Amino acid sequence: MLASYKYTGKKRRSQLVKFESNPEFTRETFTLLGGAGGVRAIGLGMLLAMTFGVGAVNVAQAADAGNTGNGVLTLADPAYTNAVLPGDYTVVCTTGGADAVSKFRVEDPEGNHVGTATGGTSFAKHIKFTIAGGGTDFVEGDRFVVSVAVELGAATNKVVEWDPDAVDGTERIWGVSLVDLEAPDGEDVSGGLALRRGDVILAGQEIAWPDGITDDQKAAAVVELEQMRMIVR
């Protein structure tokens, strides 16, 4: 009786990508961020996230001309975390008063509640700032707008592995790796290639899901990919 052998070869792009409309449009190159305490390794089919480099994000703020309170919103340096989104954040007073009493609802550009800021106390979710009261207390409805511009193609931006449990922005999917790539400890490496947008159909069984991912996290990731016009089947 002849012996039988099972051979497992290296995964190919054609196994992951079932359909791709136009590689010139759907793909994008990237630089892999250097490892932190060891080698950072990504593989074909891994989901990726983006970290923003210095100069890639510009943040400005403005108080509403109709505000009653004459306090000021001062941006931190830097004025954002990796969770920041491009667009206008609104900071609206929900409880009037002086510092330590006044409260402000912070919403992202999509209208989602990010958190509640307290007068006189630093706020650091998506955007980072401190609101200080003035001679006239804030009242309900007083408002600030924090505008964020993100240069997604900035050379200082680096890619890392997607982490569904993160809260620093790397929980948002940037793309799907089309290569195997390693970055030594502290040394960024270019040469990355990823699927960034559709129209694309991906083989679900070929996606390299992170260890410990829950079914809910996986389902949410599939929805996020679909919003990027990358369908998982």
Side-chain angles (χ1 to χ4, degrees):
M1 181 177 180
L2 293 176
S4 61
Y5 297 89
K6 183 178 181 180
Y7 173 73
T8 302
K10 184 178 180 180
K11 185 187 296 186
R12 300 186 301 275
R13 290 180 189 172
S14 59
Q15 294 174 273
L16 171 69
V17 184
K18 298 175 67 176
F19 171 81
E20 184 177 10
S21 60
N22 184 349
E24 292 293 327
F25 175 74
T26 59
R27 301 182 182 189
E28 196 165 313
T29 60
F30 65 85
T31 297
L32 182 64
L33 183 68
V39 174
R40 185 187 305 278
I42 62 169
L44 175 66
M46 280 185 62
L47 303 184
L48 305 173
M50 172 70 76
T51 63
F52 300 124
V54 176
V57 182
N58 293 305
V59 185
Q61 65 83 27
D64 192 282
N67 284 356
T68 296
N70 62 355
V72 296
L73 183 152
T74 301
L75 295 171
D77 184 17
Y80 60 91
T81 72
N82 274 328
V84 75
L85 296 172
D88 289 341
Y89 284 78
T90 57
V91 183
V92 180
C93 183
T94 55
T95 302
D99 287 348
V101 175
S102 57
K103 302 289 183 182
F104 298 81
R105 178 182 174 89
V106 182
E107 293 186 355
D108 70 16
E110 298 174 354
N112 300 310
H113 182 211
V114 174
T116 299
T118 300
T121 303
S122 61
F123 180 86
K125 295 180 180 179
H126 288 217
I127 51 177
K128 300 162 66 176
F129 61 84
T130 300
I131 296 175
T136 303
D137 289 346
F138 289 109
V139 300
E140 185 177 340
D142 281 353
R143 182 174 182 267
F144 295 88
V145 174
V146 178
S147 299
V148 179
V150 179
E151 185 183 351
L152 293 177
T156 52
N157 294 344
K158 304 295 188 300
V159 163
V160 296
E161 57 274 29
W162 172 67
D163 181 358
D165 294 317
V167 293
D168 62 357
T170 57
E171 72 277 11
R172 293 202 307 267
I173 298 171
W174 176 83
V176 183
S177 180
L178 289 175
V179 295
D180 299 324
L181 194 63
E182 291 188 352
D185 185 14
E187 182 181 335
D188 301 338
V189 172
S190 60
L193 183 66
L195 290 168
R196 280 281 292 123
R197 59 192 68 84
D199 294 331
V200 168
I201 298 177
L202 300 172
Q205 72 273 17
E206 300 298 337
I207 293 178
W209 300 105
D211 292 338
I213 189 172
T214 68
D215 289 341
D216 287 345
Q217 288 172 330
K218 187 180 292 188
V222 169
V223 171
E224 193 171 347
L225 288 168
E226 288 179 349
Q227 292 170 344
M228 300 164 69
R229 299 183 65 82
M230 291 192 279
I231 308 302
V232 179
R233 289 184 178 168

